[in-house]
Amino acid sequence: MTLIHTALLCEAQSFIEKYKLKKTNLNPKIYSNDEYIVLISGVGKENTISSIEYIFKNYKISKAINIGVAGVSDKSISIGEMFCCNHKLNGIKWLPLETVDMPQTKHNTNEITLYDMETKYFLDISREYLDENNILVFKVVSDYLSSDILAKDFIKKLIKNSTSSLIDSFI
């Protein structure tokens, strides 16, 4: 099975709809069919760790993909632009990503960096079970390091518009 991990339901909705997935578990929230499993872990370290560990202990996963929104400080990067953060892939831009415990409002480094709150933990656990080539991280720029809570419809639209055609090549 291919795992698609998101922190939020609004990040997962386009995949749930596209692959016609059914809710199969409440805690953690899981939607699945015979081919795909979408895990919605919730935000942050503890939620991500417990949910990802649950998936790998209870399902046979052959590929793990983390998809979600991330902030960036560089305003020359467009909101809605998608990046792969753990591989350099043809047709998709690459940027490094830093996982933080709280929404980031200041840039910590001299290089352009994306910021999120789950990827490090997703990668740490996935690497225990899968080869690096079968783990992918895609982030869509949602803000310029704002601590504002983003509207769910805005996030859903960003993910759907940014991932619809390119992701199919890698899932």
Side-chain angles (χ1 to χ4, degrees):
M1 289 182 100
T2 296
L3 167 65
I4 300 171
H5 166 253
T6 69
L8 305 169
L9 176 60
C10 54
E11 293 171 322
Q13 278 182 301
S14 59
F15 301 103
I16 293 167
E17 292 164 10
K18 180 176 186 163
Y19 300 120
K20 298 173 177 48
L21 306 178
K22 303 289 183 213
K23 187 183 263 188
T24 56
N25 201 64
L26 277 176
N27 191 18
K29 285 184 188 154
I30 297 172
Y31 293 77
S32 64
N33 62 21
D34 292 339
E35 228 178 313
Y36 299 102
I37 183 165
V38 169
L39 167 67
I40 303 156
S41 67
V43 175
K45 179 179 182 176
E46 289 80 18
N47 290 328
T48 303
I49 290 172
S50 64
S51 296
I52 297 292
E53 285 178 342
Y54 177 87
I55 287 295
F56 279 108
K57 288 178 181 170
N58 291 283
Y59 295 87
K60 185 168 174 41
I61 303 298
S62 57
K63 183 180 274 190
I65 300 166
N66 171 269
I67 298 174
V69 294
V72 69
S73 64
D74 187 332
K75 292 185 178 175
S76 71
I77 295 173
S78 300
I79 299 294
E81 210 168 329
M82 186 177 71
F83 295 87
C84 184
C85 299
N86 69 324
H87 294 286
K88 292 187 179 177
L89 303 172
N90 288 332
I92 297 181
K93 296 178 182 178
W94 177 89
L95 270 180
L97 178 123
E98 183 178 334
T99 298
V100 293
D101 292 328
M102 299 295 294
Q104 197 69 20
T105 56
K106 292 188 175 133
H107 191 52
N108 292 337
T109 172
N110 291 334
E111 67 181 23
I112 299 170
T113 305
L114 295 167
Y115 294 91
D116 88 336
M117 297 175 66
E118 295 81 30
T119 298
K120 177 193 180 319
Y121 314 112
F122 165 82
L123 286 170
D124 288 348
I125 295 166
S126 296
R127 286 176 177 143
E128 292 176 23
Y129 295 90
L130 298 173
D131 180 88
E132 188 72 31
N133 293 325
N134 292 316
I135 305 169
L136 293 163
V137 174
F138 296 102
K139 293 297 168 178
V140 177
V141 174
S142 60
D143 62 271
Y144 299 114
L145 302 186
S146 169
S147 60
D148 295 342
I149 306 265
L150 300 171
K152 292 175 183 162
D153 285 343
F154 173 73
I155 294 172
K156 181 181 175 182
K157 185 177 176 183
L158 277 181
I159 297 292
K160 186 173 186 168
N161 292 346
S162 301
T163 63
S164 61
S165 61
L166 288 175
I167 291 296
D168 286 340
S169 322
F170 301 101
I171 289 187

